[in-house]
Amino acid sequence: MNNKANYWIDRLDLQPHPEGGYYKEIFRSSTEVFRKNESETKKIAFTSIYYLLETNDFSGFHRLKSDEIWYFHDGQPINIHILNADGSYKCVELSNSENGSLQAFIEPNCWFAAEIPSKLDFALVSCAVAPGFDFSEFEMASKSSLNIIYPLQKNLIEKLCRF
């Protein structure tokens, strides 16, 4: 682990995340909302975390039932790979470089994964989820399931799926 990654992990008190990398929830709204067309259960309005990846680590393909926005803070560019419900693929470079974006939006129910393409150093981002993140609405992908739905992305799926 490099010194700057260690610095952020210690300073922000980050812990290992089940999808890979390190995280810490920094905000959970006290406001509750109903998700459109789902009036039976109130949800937390939104949540926010710090999230850090380093070198060969990656955020494995997963999906949420909520919108998610990633914000770049420090380190190397991250590629966010998005598999849309219509079968299309999109890659967003999250970085402060000329080719990058400082934020990236992932729609609900899209499969997505993230990696540091250079495999160098680390990247620190924040992720905001609305309605708020709930592990009961978090689903890790399986290679076999995604390969059936997205056969053109087999190499990417094999590389960035944990199971």
Side-chain angles (χ1 to χ4, degrees):
M1 204 180 289
N2 75 57
N3 288 339
K4 198 154 184 196
N6 275 336
Y7 167 79
W8 286 118
I9 290 168
D10 291 342
R11 178 176 171 195
L12 302 174
D13 192 27
L14 304 178
Q15 303 300 313
H17 195 289
E19 73 190 47
Y22 297 87
Y23 83 109
K24 181 175 183 177
E25 184 175 271
I26 56 170
F27 182 77
R28 180 167 287 269
S29 176
S30 60
T31 303
E32 293 182 325
V33 297
F34 287 106
R35 185 178 280 132
K36 187 175 181 179
N37 299 325
E38 290 183 18
S39 61
E40 66 277 357
T41 307
K42 284 186 177 180
K43 307 286 181 192
I44 297 297
F46 79 96
T47 56
S48 182
I49 65 168
Y50 286 122
Y51 185 64
L52 184 139
L53 286 175
E54 56 185 341
T55 62
N56 294 317
D57 203 3
F58 62 92
S59 168
F61 272 107
H62 63 286
R63 68 180 171 183
L64 305 175
K65 291 184 178 181
S66 297
D67 294 313
E68 184 165 1
I69 301 175
W70 288 44
Y71 301 95
F72 182 81
H73 293 302
D74 194 13
Q76 296 294 310
I78 289 182
N79 281 350
I80 301 176
H81 304 278
I82 304 167
L83 301 173
N84 294 299
D86 65 3
S88 64
Y89 164 76
K90 178 180 180 181
C91 180
V92 177
E93 179 186 305
L94 192 66
S95 74
N96 62 354
S97 73
E98 191 174 310
N99 296 326
S101 296
L102 293 174
Q103 60 185 356
F105 172 72
I106 297 100
E107 293 182 15
N109 299 309
C110 289
W111 293 103
F112 64 102
E115 65 173 333
I116 300 172
S118 69
K119 307 295 183 216
L120 300 172
D121 213 10
F122 77 100
L124 176 65
V125 302
S126 285
C127 303
V129 177
F133 180 84
D134 184 328
F135 270 107
S136 70
E137 296 183 345
F138 170 84
E139 181 182 2
M140 291 294 294
S142 74
K143 291 178 186 179
S144 58
S145 296
L146 284 190
N147 279 327
I148 291 169
I149 302 167
Y150 304 96
L152 298 177
Q153 302 305 325
K154 182 175 181 164
N155 290 340
L156 187 64
I157 291 165
E158 292 295 321
K159 180 172 84 167
L160 297 177
C161 252
R162 296 205 176 269
F163 309 102

